[in-house]
Amino acid sequence: MAKDLQVLNALDVAKTQWYHFTAIIIAGMGFFTDAYDLFCISLVTKLLGRIYYHVDGAEKPGTLPPNVSAAVNGVAFCGTLAGQLFFGWLGDKMGRKKVYGMTLMLMVICSVASGLSFGHNAKAVMSTLCFFRFWLGFGIGGDYPLSATIMSEYANKKTRGAFIAAVFAMQGFGILAGGIFAIIISSAFRDRFSAPAYEVDALASTVPQADFVWRIILMVGALPAALTYYWRMKMPETARYTALVAKNAKQAASDMSKVLQVDIEAEEQKVQQLAQDETNSFGLLSKEFLRRHGLHLLGTTTTWFLLDIAFYSQNLFQKDIFSAIGWIPPAKTMNALEEVYKIARAQTLIALCSTVPGYWFTVAFIDRMGRFAIQLMGFFFMTVFMFALAIPYNHWTHKENRIGFVAMYSLTFFFANFGPNATTFVVPAEIFPARLRSTCHGISAASGKLGAIVGAFGFLYLAQNKDKAKADAGYPAGIGVRNSLLVLGVINFLGMIFTFLVPESKGKSLEELSGENEEDDQPEEQSSYNDRTVPV
């Protein structure tokens, strides 16, 4: 059976080595780029409105019309969803490594192209921007199932959760880098090209050079992806794919001998036996898959879907919440570059104080507490803090209570990341069979992105003021920020319920979890004898 393969045992019991950290950095830089590219758009949407949708004589600066704003914010998510499904499936068909370089090159090309969005009028610029951001999202989508699967298949049993979570935690640094870079660029341009506030001189408040700011911010996302391309191409294919899916024992032993720096025997006979074993050759749409993993897939898809509704609606539109509570001054009291600076500063502060620490708390505790406990705890506290913000919402809008609101809001982010945002990424990479692992992770991640689309588009409309006169230009009346927060609280509570469908994967080998050992009657305790056969 699969767990008797020496090469897999060697990986399961390997001490933490340099190659583990190399894999984290190579896979993690993809996620750093993903987060930068996905979230940097929220830093510049107000600026795009001022530049391309200015109305002479209007009391407030120009803003993106509702349909344009929804497209610019959401089109990358649509691309990501498609990319997760397509590259997830391709990763199981062609191998993880072959597909890994494709996704990165797509991200590099489309990041640059997004910044070069061309046209003589607003419609042409927004159309080309949306086109390139869709394909950027498509490349980003492929990174989810491939990075998670590669890291889970390289890691050992003891610290696998921390390694996969560390790859995902690079998202936090990506969000942080986006904010910091936007602060640097906007302040540099602001100091070089001084401009009055919008209410003083509407036309002069947006200097022509502001058009370069958003383009530079979007294009810089190509740099980290381009820098890691060479290293991705040098990574060997994972032994689990080579042995269990491609059925090439010799290649798997050769690759992992180099990586682990030990001699591993090529057990071709065992691999041939595995190839002939009908019990583990069921497909994704078979009754056997439904029996063994149907509820697991339901658990990973629903929890990721519900989490992302809450997470992305918060993340993309936190600037609106900051404006609502007065943390960012009214738009007309600032010039265009000042507004970019203030939005970036607010988002960076939230990332620094809650988003980044939350990710790394998960890395530190996931192999001690387990995935289930962290996910349940995260959803529970997100529910509590959402209701604590929503129920006394009028209290939080008073000027003296704003810092308290931001602190509570930060805590919802902290527990999203020290909770389901990390675990929903980790678990699907562990509990499914090797030949379906990338596909199932892609399906789970795509379900999450569907939630992100619901969150991004839904929250945009829901959070509008109940009074149409007070809603943003062009938007219908919504249910208000308070009721939106109540809805998000209920969604987090449902996430907590669906967590009970997801199995605990701490400390077990991937083959135990996926059932690829199911026919092996050897008690789990005795497998430690095999674990000692390779002195790593």
Side-chain angles (χ1 to χ4, degrees):
M1 283 296 113
K3 74 175 172 184
D4 291 328
L5 282 174
Q6 201 185 10
V7 65
L8 303 189
N9 279 329
L11 282 164
D12 279 341
V13 300
K15 289 186 175 71
T16 301
Q17 297 174 36
W18 178 243
Y19 84 89
H20 285 124
F21 295 109
T22 311
I24 289 170
I25 292 163
I26 294 168
M29 284 312 285
F31 264 86
F32 176 94
T33 310
D34 296 351
Y36 182 98
D37 287 336
L38 282 177
F39 293 109
C40 68
I41 196 71
S42 66
L43 299 165
V44 298
T45 45
K46 298 268 191 189
L47 179 62
L48 289 170
R50 284 191 186 235
I51 295 170
Y52 294 103
Y53 293 91
H54 171 75
V55 179
D56 286 331
E59 189 189 333
K60 292 179 182 176
T63 55
L64 297 179
N67 57 335
V68 177
S69 180
V72 167
N73 279 310
V75 72
F77 294 145
C78 299
T80 306
L81 190 155
Q84 284 162 336
L85 292 171
F86 176 71
F87 286 116
W89 168 78
L90 207 59
D92 283 335
K93 285 281 171 265
M94 290 174 60
R96 298 25 167 157
K97 185 199 167 175
K98 281 183 186 170
V99 184
Y100 214 22
M102 292 183 211
T103 62
L104 213 54
M105 281 320 294
L106 201 53
M107 284 154 62
V108 170
I109 293 163
C110 293
S111 283
V112 174
S114 297
L116 295 174
S117 295
F118 45 83
H120 294 295
N121 56 31
K123 191 176 180 182
V125 174
M126 293 303 135
S127 299
T128 48
L129 176 62
C130 288
F131 175 80
F132 289 123
R133 281 196 59 84
F134 175 85
W135 290 108
L136 173 67
F138 193 70
I140 287 171
D143 232 38
Y144 276 74
L146 294 168
S147 290
T149 303
I150 284 170
M151 201 63 239
S152 74
E153 291 181 348
Y154 262 111
N156 58 38
K157 281 198 291 193
K158 196 176 172 187
T159 55
R160 186 179 60 236
F163 288 160
I164 307 171
V167 168
F168 194 62
M170 294 297 279
Q171 263 202 343
F173 289 130
I175 294 169
L176 194 60
I180 291 169
F181 186 69
I183 288 172
I184 294 166
I185 287 292
S186 59
S187 55
F189 271 77
R190 188 188 59 182
D191 295 344
R192 177 73 182 80
F193 307 103
S194 58
Y198 182 86
E199 58 189 357
V200 176
D201 186 340
L203 211 54
S205 69
T206 307
V207 294
Q209 291 82 3
D211 196 50
F212 292 119
V213 172
W214 71 268
R215 293 176 187 275
I216 293 168
I217 289 170
L218 295 188
M219 287 167 84
V220 162
L223 277 177
L227 291 172
T228 45
Y229 182 77
Y230 170 74
W231 297 106
R232 276 204 181 180
M233 291 298 90
K234 279 190 74 175
M235 277 179 100
E237 181 57 87
T238 71
R240 285 185 159 93
Y241 183 85
T242 310
L244 300 177
V245 185
K247 312 291 186 214
N248 188 340
K250 197 173 177 183
Q251 188 66 48
S254 164
D255 287 344
M256 291 307 108
S257 294
K258 286 178 202 161
V259 167
L260 296 166
Q261 295 172 334
V262 293
D263 288 329
I264 297 172
E265 185 190 338
E267 301 161 296
E268 299 219 26
Q269 200 178 348
K270 284 184 184 173
V271 169
Q272 289 310 315
Q273 285 172 349
L274 276 170
Q276 290 156 13
D277 183 7
E278 292 299 313
T279 58
N280 281 314
S281 59
F282 54 86
L284 183 68
L285 301 174
S286 64
K287 283 184 182 175
E288 187 63 15
F289 179 86
L290 194 66
R291 182 182 74 78
R292 292 194 191 191
H293 300 292
L295 283 177
H296 296 163
L297 191 59
L298 180 66
T300 58
T301 49
T302 49
T303 51
W304 207 336
F305 173 76
L306 294 163
L307 173 271
D308 272 9
I309 293 177
F311 184 74
Y312 279 87
S313 57
Q314 277 179 281
N315 229 329
L316 274 170
F317 302 104
Q318 56 181 305
K319 61 182 184 300
D320 299 321
I321 290 176
F322 291 144
S323 300
I325 61 158
W327 217 42
I328 292 175
K332 64 182 180 181
T333 64
M334 301 179 280
N335 64 42
L337 295 171
E338 180 74 18
E339 189 173 37
V340 175
Y341 174 80
K342 290 272 172 67
I343 290 168
R345 192 182 62 178
Q347 289 196 198
T348 305
L349 204 60
I350 289 288
L352 199 59
C353 299
S354 60
T355 309
V356 173
Y359 281 117
W360 291 99
F361 263 75
T362 302
V363 174
F365 291 105
I366 192 164
D367 287 310
R368 294 182 204 173
M369 291 172 63
R371 290 68 162 148
F372 178 81
I374 287 178
Q375 186 160 312
L376 203 64
M377 174 195 74
F379 269 129
F380 172 77
F381 282 112
M382 285 170 76
T383 308
V384 167
F385 288 121
M386 280 293 180
F387 285 135
L389 285 173
I391 293 165
Y393 181 70
N394 290 336
H395 165 81
W396 296 119
T397 54
H398 298 146
K399 199 165 189 176
E400 65 274 14
N401 302 325
R402 282 173 186 164
I403 298 300
F405 180 94
V406 173
M408 295 271 275
Y409 184 69
S410 296
L411 281 168
T412 62
F413 265 114
F414 176 79
F415 282 107
N417 294 313
F418 181 32
N421 195 35
T423 53
T424 51
F425 177 79
V426 173
V427 175
E430 299 181 307
I431 61 176
F432 298 108
R435 70 187 178 286
L436 299 170
R437 187 170 289 134
S438 179
T439 305
C440 289
H441 195 284
I443 292 168
S444 305
S447 173
K449 275 298 163 283
L450 191 62
I453 292 166
V454 171
F457 287 89
F459 199 75
L460 190 64
Y461 288 89
L462 279 179
Q464 293 299 325
N465 201 298
K466 290 181 193 174
D467 179 359
K468 192 174 184 322
K470 292 180 183 173
D472 288 347
Y475 286 87
I479 60 172
V481 174
R482 178 178 183 267
N483 289 340
S484 298
L485 291 169
L486 281 171
V487 170
L488 293 178
V490 172
I491 286 166
N492 288 326
F493 178 73
L494 288 174
M496 198 164 71
I497 302 300
F498 279 103
T499 295
F500 287 94
L501 294 176
V502 183
E504 179 55 75
S505 49
K506 181 179 77 165
K508 294 178 182 173
S509 81
L510 295 178
E511 287 67 47
E512 282 174 67
L513 287 163
S514 64
E516 282 162 300
N517 290 337
E518 208 161 82
E519 301 304 304
D520 197 337
D521 295 321
Q522 185 187 18
E524 200 179 308
E525 293 75 30
Q526 288 179 19
S527 68
S528 60
Y529 173 78
N530 286 334
D531 291 350
R532 288 194 290 271
T533 57
V534 181
V536 179

